[in-house]
Amino acid sequence: MAHSENQQSSFSDIIELNVGGQVYVTRHETLVSVPNSLLWTMFAQKSPTELPKDSKGRYFFDRDGFLFRYILDYLRERDIVLPDFFKERGRLQKEAEFFQLHELAQRLRPAVSKDNSLGDELCAHGDPEEASLACALGSSSITTTAVSSPTPSLLSPFQKHGYITIGYRGSYTIGRDIQTDAKFRRVARITVCGKTSLAKEVFGETLNESRDPDKPPERYTSRYYLKYNFLEQAFDRLAEVGFRMVACSSTGTCAYASSDPNEDKIWTSYTEYVFSRD
């Protein structure tokens, strides 16, 4: 017991974590709040020198940084409230299992009846879209695997109408010989504008919400952006879930790379594409 207390006392009260590139700051008592969990073992039974750290001295976990926020919520409250249209329930369950939070993993596991179909609990307490799909189709026609990766044909009655605008700033260089170089249409960031719930439904885990976190599902945002830099990926995804392009617009400016007018010209542009699902 004395050994365990000495190990705990060697940690500071405020702990910084790097989880898959996302930085979290929490209390030591939060991390050790669930006995026999992985975090309890690491931060109550080991010393700081035994744990992996990043270049800035933060304790490092090679796990999903986005989902770890829900792990912390559970450690703080012994409860978890997931947002509407949450698509990562299965992956969050795997994270709970990794961190050895068995009660949380059990709560995230879909209830299964003796027919190996979804039980009443999912209809009452699960993800809204999963629940409506399960209850509408009945227990005999959808299994637990269909919840984590439903087919587009099953989901189509529950898809919501609306608009999503994709925007990007691009640049390219025109040289003195009027030839474009390899930096043509260099895209710095692809932004997503629209209703929060609709954006999450379409892009799921590829959506970066860090600039506008915890936005209510009924609100609108223009601050989300995608985790990749290829417009065609966004277009393909929108087409897969029933959207079509209805409008686009673009503006551009030109500047010289230096004060010498004989040098290369740099063109920058901002373009928006509007997609609709009827």
Side-chain angles (χ1 to χ4, degrees):
M1 178 64 69
H3 175 73
S4 176
E5 291 177 354
N6 289 336
Q7 299 287 31
Q8 291 187 46
S9 63
S10 61
F11 288 96
S12 62
D13 181 47
I14 304 299
I15 303 289
E16 289 191 45
L17 307 174
N18 178 347
V19 185
Q22 296 286 331
V23 176
Y24 290 89
V25 180
T26 187
R27 290 187 175 277
H28 179 265
E29 64 185 31
T30 300
L31 298 175
V32 300
S33 62
V34 178
N36 300 315
S37 67
L38 177 64
L39 292 168
W40 177 86
T41 300
M42 296 177 68
F43 289 93
Q45 303 298 308
K46 295 184 178 182
S47 68
T49 57
E50 298 177 81
L51 304 183
K53 298 183 181 71
D54 66 10
S55 59
K56 295 187 177 180
R58 295 177 291 226
Y59 298 102
F60 178 75
F61 293 87
D62 189 16
R63 304 300 299 181
D64 191 311
F66 172 77
L67 294 178
F68 189 73
R69 69 172 72 180
Y70 302 109
I71 299 295
L72 270 185
D73 284 346
Y74 176 77
L75 293 176
R76 295 179 182 121
E77 307 293 338
R78 286 298 194 285
D79 194 11
I80 186 168
V81 178
L82 300 177
D84 292 338
F85 310 108
F86 186 70
K87 296 293 186 181
E88 308 295 328
R89 192 183 187 94
R91 294 185 60 183
L92 181 56
Q93 177 192 332
K94 293 184 181 298
E95 294 300 300
E97 291 170 351
F98 172 82
F99 287 105
Q100 299 172 18
L101 298 169
H102 305 300
E103 181 186 0
L104 176 59
Q106 181 63 36
R107 292 173 60 178
L108 292 168
R109 192 170 294 121
V112 180
S113 71
K114 61 182 179 182
D115 311 352
N116 193 36
S117 60
L118 290 179
D120 294 337
E121 182 178 341
L122 181 60
C123 296
H125 304 293
D127 178 274
E129 289 191 356
E130 294 174 356
S132 61
L133 181 62
C135 298
L137 296 178
S139 60
S140 61
S141 60
I142 181 167
T143 64
T144 53
T145 55
V147 173
S148 58
S149 55
T151 62
S153 59
L154 288 179
L155 275 183
S156 56
F158 305 98
Q159 290 178 334
K160 293 179 170 52
H161 310 306
Y163 292 86
I164 286 180
T165 299
I166 301 296
Y168 82 94
R169 295 187 184 278
S171 66
Y172 60 92
T173 302
I174 297 181
R176 282 168 293 180
D177 297 327
I178 316 300
Q179 298 293 324
T180 57
D181 67 7
K183 294 180 181 180
F184 174 71
R185 210 189 72 170
R186 181 177 57 187
V187 178
R189 177 175 291 176
I190 300 174
T191 61
V192 178
C193 309
K195 197 170 186 177
T196 300
S197 58
L198 198 59
K200 291 181 179 180
E201 175 207 326
V202 173
F203 294 107
E205 63 180 21
T206 64
L207 192 68
N208 191 321
E209 306 171 43
S210 61
R211 296 174 63 207
D212 206 0
D214 303 320
K215 193 83 168 180
E218 71 278 3
R219 301 294 294 276
Y220 289 79
T221 181
S222 60
R223 296 176 61 82
Y224 287 168
Y225 62 94
L226 299 178
K227 296 180 181 179
Y228 46 78
N229 292 324
F230 293 97
L231 283 168
E232 290 73 16
Q233 282 182 267
F235 295 168
D236 286 346
R237 178 56 188 159
L238 285 159
E240 288 171 2
V241 294
F243 280 82
R244 61 187 180 88
M245 188 186 300
V246 295
C248 67
S249 65
S250 182
T251 61
T253 60
C254 176
Y256 289 102
S258 70
S259 58
D260 185 350
N262 295 317
E263 289 299 318
D264 295 348
K265 296 179 181 179
I266 299 177
W267 287 84
T268 59
S269 65
Y270 178 73
T271 306
E272 289 187 337
Y273 303 91
V274 181
F275 289 81
S276 171
R277 185 167 66 188
D278 299 326

